[in-house]
Amino acid sequence: MKSTSVHDIFIIFLFIFSQFVRGLEDCRSGMYPPKGPTFKGNVTWYTVNLDLPPSERWTQVIKDKNSELITMVQTIKDMAKGFFHGKLIDLVDEELPLIVDTLPHPFNEEMKGIAAVSGIPLGEITLFNIFYEVFTVCTSLVAEDFNGKIYHARNLDFGLFMGWDRQNKTWTLTEKLKPLVVNVNFQRNNKTVFKSTNFAGYVGMLTGIRPGELTLTMNERFNFDGGYVGILEWIFGQRDGMWMGFLTRKVLENATSYEDAKAQLSLTKLLAPAYFILGGNRTGQGCVITRTRINTLDIWELDKNLGRWYVLETNYDHWEKPMILDDRRTPAMKCMNQTTQANISLSSIYDVLSTKPVLNKLTTYTSLMEVSTGTLESYIRDCPNPCTPW
Ligand SMILES: *[C@@H]1O[C@H](CO)[C@@H](O)[C@H](O)[C@H]1NC(C)=O
Ligand SMILES: *[C@@H]1O[C@H](CO)[C@@H](O)[C@H](O)[C@H]1NC(C)=O
Ligand SMILES: *[C@@H]1O[C@H](CO)[C@@H](O)[C@H](O)[C@H]1NC(C)=O
Ligand SMILES: *[C@@H]1O[C@H](CO)[C@@H](O)[C@H](O)[C@H]1NC(C)=O
Ligand SMILES: *[C@@H]1O[C@H](CO)[C@@H](O)[C@H](O)[C@H]1NC(C)=O
Ligand SMILES: *[C@@H]1O[C@H](CO)[C@@H](O)[C@H](O)[C@H]1NC(C)=O
Ligand SMILES: *[C@@H]1O[C@H](CO)[C@@H](O)[C@H](O)[C@H]1NC(C)=O
């Protein structure tokens, strides 16, 4: 693994420059059903049986994805070696396994089961799980059509600018993650409780649906009091905050309604700031919850009276301007506005999420959900050149 050099930085600036020169892409149309160079493949479905002991739930998924998981964990470790002269990895192998026992049930047992099946040390599985809590940037939206149908969709962008592959012009971590994307149908008594698009080896949730009831995605919120502080505090013993991906999992598994989910997502103390994007099953039920670790700054809801038929979140507070070098919000909103409420569908939302730079080189998958039919469709994405690196 090469470390970032002047050359990499030069390439990155060249890309930024080319983004301005080329300007923004026109809103895409006719991209659905997914095909062509930006569609890299379907996501395979697995069933996870919640009636099994937690340590046995992920066996099939891990067996199928083990070599990809080992490659990913090794890549993360190689990158972590660059920090503190490898001391970070010692910490991972020595300290993180002890920490697993302090995690809430069933997550601790599930991680132990994953480590046992994969043969990967428990500390490294824990590191892998922490990684997803902190290194994702995303675009999520909830929209309502004229019939009160609620759609929820997202692009998951992963990699956070680590390991630019000069030869292939891709992000190493992003590419290594793509084969780990799985769809999971979580069942109790042989009946679906919820479904999610997930990474093999990760026990939290970033994208999920309780058919007929609610849809949920999580986006990273960068903040100075952010994830890093919370995670360090947590490693060193102050463990009152909940992991974000555990909370979303708990909501998807056990929430009784949109209102219940909203309350849990707003009131639970967290390890790091986050955005929760929640959709319900009735008109007006869709919101973006902006969280600090302790409290909720804002809940931004659909509102017919204000003509707000969709809410859209990237990684910046909606009442502030996005960072100029990372404005995926304006192009996504431009395309939503062009689509209009009259023509909103899985198909037209896929078009919005296929427009650069909403689609970029970090984009790992696109998920489309429609709560009333219980639909969850996910597609692995690619962004061949010319394409912005984020
Ligand atoms: C993806 O799934 C769709 C629908 O099941 C199928 O028509 C298509 O051929 C699949 N594409 C790939 C690349 O596997
Ligand atoms: C570029 O992609 C090719 C084919 O996927 C792969 O074999 C090669 O290792 C990649 N290059 C680097 C530097 O990772
Ligand atoms: C679930 O279905 C399988 C096979 O269809 C059956 O053997 C099993 O008893 C069922 N389990 C429950 C809890 O209903
Ligand atoms: C959901 O509730 C059940 C029953 O109370 C519990 O066993 C399970 O651990 C809960 N799930 C999560 C993720 O907290
Ligand atoms: C919406 O969700 C609530 C709470 O789960 C449920 O009681 C209700 O039947 C659902 N409504 C529809 C139209 O499915
Ligand atoms: C989209 O429409 C909304 C509501 O009319 C408006 O506030 C926003 O500025 C528009 N954004 C773009 C990028 O066109
Ligand atoms: C509505 O969306 C479909 C699919 O994205 C597109 O083919 C059609 O042209 C759109 N119609 C209008 C009026 O925008």
Side-chain angles (χ1 to χ4, degrees):
M1 190 55 49
K2 294 184 194 75
S3 57
T4 305
S5 63
V6 174
H7 181 263
D8 291 293
I9 293 170
F10 176 73
I11 299 240
I12 288 170
F13 274 94
L14 207 63
F15 266 112
I16 296 169
F17 184 66
S18 64
Q19 181 171 338
F20 285 119
V21 170
R22 198 172 58 245
L24 301 171
E25 184 174 74
D26 283 343
C27 296
R28 289 282 182 154
S29 67
M31 301 291 286
Y32 188 93
K35 57 189 172 300
T38 67
F39 167 56
K40 204 180 176 187
N42 294 317
V43 179
T44 322
W45 278 98
Y46 287 88
T47 299
V48 164
N49 182 355
L50 295 169
D51 297 319
L52 286 176
S55 61
E56 293 169 27
R57 290 175 185 168
W58 295 98
T59 304
Q60 192 57 51
V61 176
I62 299 304
K63 276 189 175 157
D64 284 4
K65 297 289 183 182
N66 207 17
S67 61
E68 291 89 347
L69 183 59
I70 289 171
T71 309
M72 182 70 184
V73 169
Q74 189 57 47
T75 310
I76 296 176
K77 268 176 65 182
D78 288 344
M79 286 180 174
K81 268 184 198 143
F83 293 97
F84 313 117
H85 308 288
K87 294 241 165 49
L88 197 60
I89 286 301
D90 296 343
L91 186 76
V92 165
D93 282 333
E94 287 158 23
E95 301 295 329
L96 288 188
L98 308 174
I99 273 166
V100 170
D101 283 321
T102 69
L103 291 174
H105 188 87
F107 305 106
N108 49 2
E109 296 300 321
E110 289 188 10
M111 282 191 203
K112 284 182 189 170
I114 290 167
V117 174
S118 64
I120 298 170
L122 184 54
E124 291 168 23
I125 292 294
T126 314
L127 175 72
F128 179 84
N129 273 271
I130 293 178
F131 222 74
Y132 293 113
E133 302 274 324
V134 228
F135 287 100
T136 42
V137 290
C138 303
T139 304
S140 291
L141 64 91
V142 180
E144 176 175 340
D145 73 7
F146 279 138
N147 304 317
K149 265 194 178 180
I150 314 273
Y151 297 87
H152 188 159
R154 75 120 93 238
N155 269 0
L156 186 127
D157 300 352
F158 174 83
L160 211 71
F161 326 130
M162 290 173 83
W164 179 250
D165 175 347
R166 290 174 204 169
Q167 188 189 345
N168 295 320
K169 300 199 170 46
T170 54
W171 296 102
T172 308
L173 277 182
T174 311
E175 296 311 307
K176 296 253 192 294
L177 184 61
K178 286 176 186 176
L180 286 174
V181 179
V182 290
N183 283 330
V184 185
N185 185 338
F186 290 84
Q187 298 192 334
R188 264 190 217 122
N189 297 323
N190 285 350
K191 282 212 297 276
T192 298
V193 181
F194 68 105
K195 301 192 278 190
S196 87
T197 297
N198 218 328
F199 308 121
Y202 178 60
V203 299
M205 296 293 131
L206 300 172
T207 306
I209 179 169
R210 275 179 79 88
E213 291 181 15
L214 59 89
T215 50
L216 176 61
T217 59
M218 182 177 88
N219 287 13
E220 180 72 13
R221 179 167 180 259
F222 301 101
N223 191 282
F224 290 113
D225 154 48
Y228 314 102
V229 178
I231 285 169
L232 287 178
E233 278 183 9
W234 183 84
I235 288 178
F236 291 112
Q238 191 188 323
R239 310 221 170 99
D240 51 346
M242 192 155 182
W243 293 58
M244 295 76 72
F246 293 175
L247 176 60
T248 46
R249 161 88 181 264
K250 187 165 167 250
V251 165
L252 284 165
E253 204 169 306
N254 288 336
T256 53
S257 66
Y258 172 80
E259 294 302 336
D260 178 35
K262 195 161 94 179
Q264 289 192 42
L265 294 167
S266 311
L267 300 175
T268 309
K269 193 173 171 194
L270 298 176
L271 209 64
Y275 300 102
F276 296 118
I277 301 89
L278 180 67
N281 65 9
R282 272 193 304 145
T283 177
Q285 290 188 332
C287 65
V288 175
I289 302 171
T290 302
R291 285 293 315 261
T292 68
R293 290 162 63 192
I294 315 291
N295 41 25
T296 293
L297 293 183
D298 179 76
I299 299 182
W300 189 38
E301 294 212 84
L302 297 176
D303 189 335
K304 214 181 284 183
N305 297 330
L306 297 175
R308 194 188 295 144
W309 58 275
Y310 72 89
V311 286
L312 188 145
E313 178 57 52
T314 58
N315 300 91
Y316 305 94
D317 296 346
H318 72 83
W319 60 92
E320 307 252 19
K321 280 210 171 76
M323 188 171 76
I324 189 146
L325 292 180
D326 179 30
D327 186 4
R328 287 161 285 127
R329 184 204 292 168
T330 308
M333 286 182 70
K334 185 185 101 187
C335 297
M336 285 299 282
N337 289 359
Q338 255 179 44
T339 303
T340 73
Q341 189 175 10
N343 201 19
I344 208 74
S345 64
L346 294 184
S347 161
S348 58
I349 291 176
Y350 187 80
D351 285 340
V352 173
L353 293 177
S354 301
T355 302
K356 294 170 210 169
V358 184
L359 179 77
N360 58 68
K361 284 196 184 279
L362 289 170
T363 306
T364 309
Y365 67 78
T366 297
S367 289
L368 307 172
M369 299 185 276
E370 205 264 280
V371 72
S372 69
T373 54
T375 306
L376 166 63
E377 297 176 5
S378 293
Y379 303 101
I380 307 290
R381 304 307 301 266
D382 236 352
C383 194
N385 288 325
C387 177
T388 52
W390 61 82

